[in-house]
Amino acid sequence: MKNTDAKAPIAEKQAKELTVHGDTRIDNYFWMRLTDEQKTAKNKDEQTNKVETYLEAENTYFDKVTAYTKDFQENLFQEMKGRIKEDDSSVPYKNNGYFYITRFEKGKQYPIYSRKKEHLEAPENILFDVNEEAQGHEYFQLGGLNISPNNKLAAFAVDTVSRRQYVIRIKNLETGEVYKDEIKNTTGGSVWANDNKTLYYTLKDPVTLRSEKIFKHVLGTDASEDVEIFHETDETFGTYVYKTKSKKYIVIGCYNTVSSEFRVLSADNPDGAFKIIQPRERDLEYSISHFDNSFYILTNKDDATNFKLMKTPVEKTSKEHWVDVIPHRENTLLEDISIFKEYLVLEERTNGLSKIRIKRWDGSKDEYLPFDEETYSASVYANPEFDTDIIRYSYNSFTTPNSVIDYNMRERSKEIKKEQEVLGGTFDKSNYKSERVWATARDGEKVAISLVYHKDTKLSKDTPLLQYAYGSYGYTIPDGFSTTRLSLLDRGFVYALAHIRGSQYLGREWYEDGKMLHKKNTFNDFVDCSKFLIDNNYTSADHLYAMGGSAGGLLMGAIVNMNPELYNGIVAAVPFVDVVSTMLDESIPLTTGEFDEWGNPKNKKYYDYILSYSPYDQVEAKEYPNMLVTTGYFDSQVQYWEPAKWVAKLRDVKTGDNVLLMHTNMDAGHGGASGRFDALKETARDYTFFLALENKLEK
């Protein structure tokens, strides 16, 4: 990026000693941490003013340094927006006699939720126009939309701060009246009992935001009268509530990284007592679905690392009664199941690729849906109906826009209900190439890299390449289509998605080998993929870029400490970079529930290991790549002060004159802006950073 006379803000140092296990760390920027009360107080105290002044100074510096890119950034935003069908709508799905539709209107940021009774020619009944609801709010998220069994009421939830603390309200869908019932500090989700007046929901701890209690609310009563049904007292666990697809059971689930536990209650008996399925055991994970007289259990029981499917009678649910339905397989991860009256549908992953398998309960059929591309993404979704031959799934790839497909399991025929439209008149899937290559990591493991680029892009040491990854929590980023990514591909970029350890791309062991005391495999894999791409002439260090967010931001922080010379530019979004301090602080959201992901640094073995890679703690005097760091002031997942402290420390010690920028969205949290166009502006900002470094800004 161009040199500028703008002076980077220099944060004040206030040395704070942090001593654990006899080891003392000096944190010069600990003062940047504010409480929620300080951030939201009408009268700001001195510290709050100081922190906000610093964040605004960073934003001003960002604006000055990037001022020459603003016109291009706006043009890029308009280009991305121009590919989107603004007046788009979802494929309707049927549930309990109604077709439900989500649609957008031209020029509007938020969705409109509606339904039609019995058939699609029926008059539209608008449930919620979120554009109207969002007026007057910088941030607005409507979630937890949940229709009562008699179709007359809708529970819904609203977050206007972006800390994922939702207020649940209830709307009469016949009269349009929103009742006085108001339930604060929830996860947003709720479940109706079959009496159409009892609502179950999950309450959060107001400080840690841990999902800790299940309450029962009766329509028309004050929330202060709600009855506590369950309290999860283990701080490493969270809890949630849902209803089985059969509509017969209310289910309370409890979970941490390595264990789970479920309780059930007849949805016809909201005043009854919940019955436990199988008491929690460390390293025993399971989830339940109900069908006929059995619970179907997806579990890792009996060392089933890649999970298997078992079942048990509804009257005898403890694990000694479980019997195999789909046995464990060494090379196939069983990710999810969907139950229909005559069919069992399995979502599997083999050699990194998604598979959809359909079995008839009577054993007369067992088939896989055919997918032809070398790399793609396919998943089952929106199948609330039980007695049907139709399964709905989505399919897309790096070069194929998303399609929603209905497959008739009896007739073996499919109907494409909708294919994502790419407007603008220039997109042709045949103009793009996709491939999958395998890099050899330093310990000999093979790591897949999915690549996509324009067919006219010549691969050489001068080719710009953006490498992306996440690599935590077992989450596997799908090889999916992106309309915004076309703006990079059409300008000569290669996009590379590295399926590093910490995901479940190659099964559950791929995840286990990328967490806790194996976490460095995640970082090593990414670096080794970068070296592979350079060695095989896809790009060079002068044109290699990297990007990741949240735990993927931790990845960015680790790799620039390890091998800064490999990258010309980095975007780290809401990065989790102060790992030691965060994991030592149990008042911070997510900490206690993640000891089995990262380790608990109160144990010296984990303290030493985490400290050895924690990006903030490992910053040192050397030349770092050009970097853009983004965050949200109200982020509840990764607190804003982590990236703010990291940038301040980098500014203090880094050498060389590569640019270091930070941008804080002062109105948003972990997911960024809430409106669909505002989110596009953030993508345009990030892509402009890379394109500016490549001198690819058109006039």
Side-chain angles (χ1 to χ4, degrees):
M1 303 191 79
K2 291 181 179 178
N3 290 324
T4 175
D5 294 332
K7 298 295 184 186
I10 303 300
E12 178 186 331
K13 292 182 181 179
Q14 295 179 13
K16 183 174 181 65
E17 292 188 357
L18 302 170
T19 302
V20 183
H21 305 301
D23 177 62
T24 298
R25 294 174 297 133
I26 305 296
D27 188 345
N28 289 316
Y29 306 105
F30 189 89
W31 61 268
M32 291 187 183
R33 174 177 172 170
L34 298 174
T35 65
D36 291 342
E37 290 75 16
Q38 285 176 294
K39 285 187 289 184
T40 56
K42 290 183 178 179
N43 297 314
K44 310 281 188 185
D45 61 24
E46 182 180 350
Q47 185 195 6
T48 305
N49 286 327
K50 185 175 178 179
V51 170
E52 291 186 353
T53 298
Y54 171 71
L55 296 177
E56 294 289 5
E58 284 285 2
N59 283 353
T60 299
Y61 178 65
F62 170 85
D63 289 339
K64 288 181 178 178
V65 172
T66 62
Y68 78 102
T69 73
K70 292 302 182 185
D71 287 345
F72 173 78
Q73 199 177 134
E74 174 62 23
N75 291 339
L76 192 63
F77 161 68
Q78 294 296 340
E79 176 182 297
M80 293 175 175
K81 183 180 175 185
R83 295 193 191 100
I84 296 174
K85 191 173 188 294
E86 289 194 44
D87 53 349
D88 205 2
S89 63
S90 66
V91 178
Y93 70 89
K94 194 173 186 182
N95 188 16
N96 198 20
Y98 284 82
F99 283 96
Y100 287 87
I101 304 160
T102 303
R103 62 179 177 85
F104 288 90
E105 292 184 349
K106 196 166 185 177
K108 294 187 177 180
Q109 293 256 37
Y110 294 95
I112 296 168
Y113 297 101
S114 66
R115 68 179 182 178
K116 296 182 177 183
K117 190 172 184 179
E118 294 299 345
H119 55 82
L120 292 172
E121 291 72 36
E124 179 188 50
N125 172 220
I126 292 179
L127 308 179
F128 295 93
D129 184 341
V130 185
N131 299 285
E132 294 181 2
E133 307 276 346
Q135 288 182 10
H137 298 283
E138 291 291 339
Y139 179 93
F140 189 90
Q141 191 71 44
L142 184 140
L145 191 54
N146 173 30
I147 309 297
S148 62
N150 64 7
N151 290 311
K152 295 181 179 181
L153 303 170
F156 66 100
V158 169
D159 173 15
T160 58
V161 181
S162 188
R163 278 186 64 79
R164 304 186 187 185
Q165 291 173 283
Y166 287 86
V167 178
I168 294 175
R169 305 291 303 276
I170 297 168
K171 182 176 183 177
N172 185 314
L173 298 178
E174 295 182 324
T175 67
E177 178 188 1
V178 176
Y179 294 145
K180 293 181 180 179
D181 309 54
E182 185 176 83
I183 308 166
K184 297 180 179 179
N185 192 36
T186 77
T187 60
S190 62
V191 178
W192 290 99
N194 290 343
D195 64 357
N196 299 293
K197 66 177 183 179
T198 305
L199 192 71
Y200 294 88
Y201 63 90
T202 309
L203 203 68
K204 288 190 166 189
D205 181 288
V207 177
T208 67
L209 304 189
R210 180 173 70 91
S211 308
E212 63 169 1
K213 294 178 180 179
I214 306 297
F215 273 79
K216 180 173 68 175
H217 176 78
V218 176
L219 188 66
T221 65
D222 191 86
S224 63
E225 301 174 22
D226 291 356
V227 178
E228 181 181 309
I229 299 300
F230 176 75
H231 182 193
E232 178 52 75
T233 57
D234 186 332
E235 292 186 348
T236 69
F237 275 75
T239 186
Y240 60 101
V241 62
Y242 70 97
K243 193 185 235 180
T244 57
K245 184 176 177 178
S246 66
K247 312 300 184 190
K248 292 190 175 180
Y249 290 97
I250 307 291
V251 184
I252 294 175
C254 305
Y255 64 94
N256 70 6
T257 307
V258 299
S259 306
S260 47
E261 181 181 75
F262 291 87
R263 292 165 169 77
V264 295
L265 171 69
S266 168
D268 293 326
N269 182 26
D271 294 324
F274 280 81
K275 171 194 171 185
I276 196 163
I277 295 287
Q278 161 61 36
R280 67 189 66 177
E281 294 179 9
R282 183 165 180 83
D283 297 320
L284 175 63
E285 297 178 67
Y286 71 97
S287 59
I288 65 169
S289 302
H290 172 250
F291 174 50
D292 203 11
N293 295 314
S294 299
F295 287 114
Y296 284 77
I297 300 168
L298 186 62
T299 180
N300 65 350
K301 183 178 179 287
D302 307 321
D303 297 318
T305 306
N306 278 329
F307 288 76
K308 62 179 177 177
L309 184 64
M310 308 183 78
K311 75 173 185 177
T312 192
V314 293
E315 304 86 14
K316 299 177 180 178
T317 60
S318 55
K319 67 178 184 178
E320 63 267 20
H321 301 291
W322 300 0
V323 296
D324 281 8
V325 177
I326 304 292
H328 177 251
R329 290 156 291 170
E330 294 292 336
N331 65 345
T332 297
L333 175 66
L334 182 54
E335 293 188 310
D336 204 357
I337 68 165
S338 299
I339 289 177
F340 298 85
K341 183 178 180 181
E342 296 186 26
Y343 305 90
L344 170 65
V345 177
L346 309 171
E347 291 181 78
E348 304 175 350
R349 185 178 294 274
T350 304
N351 196 33
L353 300 181
S354 302
K355 309 284 187 182
I356 297 176
R357 181 181 178 188
I358 299 169
K359 289 172 62 72
R360 282 191 67 104
W361 291 113
D362 63 12
S364 64
K365 178 179 186 177
D366 188 347
E367 67 171 347
Y368 285 89
L369 294 183
F371 302 124
D372 301 326
E373 295 184 84
E374 182 178 3
T375 178
Y376 59 86
S377 174
S379 61
V380 174
Y381 84 112
N383 288 279
E385 294 283 276
F386 174 68
D387 187 3
T388 177
D389 293 324
I390 304 295
I391 180 174
R392 177 165 293 173
Y393 69 96
S394 66
Y395 177 89
N396 70 124
S397 72
F398 272 165
T399 59
T400 304
N402 188 59
S403 293
V404 176
I405 300 166
D406 279 359
Y407 180 76
N408 189 306
M409 296 180 281
R410 182 181 301 277
E411 299 175 0
R412 298 188 177 185
S413 61
K414 72 177 183 179
E415 178 186 0
I416 298 176
K417 303 296 289 186
K418 179 180 181 180
E419 182 172 303
Q420 178 185 1
E421 291 185 61
V422 183
L423 303 185
T426 61
F427 174 73
D428 180 346
K429 65 177 291 184
S430 66
N431 285 333
Y432 303 90
K433 289 183 177 180
S434 177
E435 61 180 299
R436 185 169 64 156
V437 297
W438 296 82
T440 302
R442 62 196 66 182
D443 63 355
E445 292 285 357
K446 299 290 187 181
V447 184
I449 310 170
S450 300
L451 298 156
V452 62
Y453 49 92
H454 196 281
K455 67 178 183 180
D456 295 335
T457 297
K458 306 301 182 190
L459 302 179
S460 75
K461 63 181 178 59
D462 297 320
T463 307
L465 186 149
L466 174 58
Q467 184 180 333
Y468 191 91
Y470 184 71
S472 291
Y473 304 108
Y475 177 66
T476 303
I477 298 179
D479 291 344
F481 186 78
S482 165
T483 59
T484 58
R485 190 189 301 139
L486 296 174
S487 292
L488 287 181
L489 304 185
D490 290 348
R491 291 172 172 82
F493 266 74
V494 177
Y495 179 83
L497 176 56
H499 298 289
I500 56 183
R501 276 173 278 188
S503 75
Q504 294 187 127
Y505 188 78
L506 293 179
R508 183 69 173 192
E509 288 185 359
W510 200 243
Y511 167 44
E512 299 291 344
D513 209 22
K515 70 173 189 176
M516 302 287 277
L517 296 174
H518 303 290
K519 189 65 210 170
K520 288 182 184 178
N521 286 335
T522 300
F523 317 137
N524 292 340
D525 283 357
F526 192 91
V527 168
D528 293 342
C529 286
S530 299
K531 292 178 177 177
F532 170 88
L533 293 167
I534 292 170
D535 292 345
N536 286 272
N537 224 34
Y538 285 92
T539 188
S540 63
D542 289 338
H543 300 281
L544 178 57
Y545 303 90
M547 185 176 184
S550 195
L554 160 63
L555 172 65
M556 295 299 101
I559 64 166
V560 296
N561 282 335
M562 293 165 58
N563 290 91
E565 77 285 354
L566 291 179
Y567 308 95
N568 188 35
I570 299 282
V571 170
V574 291
F576 175 38
V577 286
D578 191 13
V579 189
V580 176
S581 292
T582 291
M583 293 308 297
L584 282 168
D585 189 344
E586 296 183 12
S587 71
I588 294 177
L590 298 187
T591 294
T592 57
E594 303 208 345
F595 288 147
D596 289 311
E597 179 74 24
W598 312 102
N600 186 345
K602 290 181 180 177
N603 178 321
K604 188 175 188 305
K605 174 174 65 173
Y606 291 107
Y607 174 86
D608 291 342
Y609 188 77
I610 295 171
L611 182 63
S612 71
Y613 69 74
S614 176
Y616 180 61
D617 295 287
Q618 295 302 319
V619 168
E620 55 190 16
K622 58 186 173 188
E623 189 167 350
Y624 284 85
N626 298 287
M627 295 173 64
L628 168 60
V629 180
T630 63
T631 187
Y633 190 41
F634 292 98
D635 195 335
S636 62
Q637 310 300 107
V638 178
Q639 309 291 330
Y640 73 89
W641 63 74
E642 293 198 37
K645 288 165 51 176
W646 184 43
V647 168
K649 189 173 182 180
L650 282 165
R651 284 211 194 288
D652 184 48
V653 304
K654 80 180 189 73
T655 62
D657 57 4
N658 283 337
V659 68
L660 173 61
L661 300 173
M662 183 173 82
H663 186 272
T664 304
N665 186 328
M666 299 300 289
D667 299 312
H670 198 63
S674 57
R676 57 175 175 158
F677 301 139
D678 290 340
L680 277 184
K681 288 180 179 178
E682 294 179 345
T683 302
R685 173 200 65 202
D686 296 345
Y687 283 5
T688 297
F689 178 75
F690 295 129
L691 290 162
L693 291 171
E694 280 292 313
N695 296 313
K696 286 183 177 289
L697 302 186
E698 300 98 333
K699 293 181 181 178

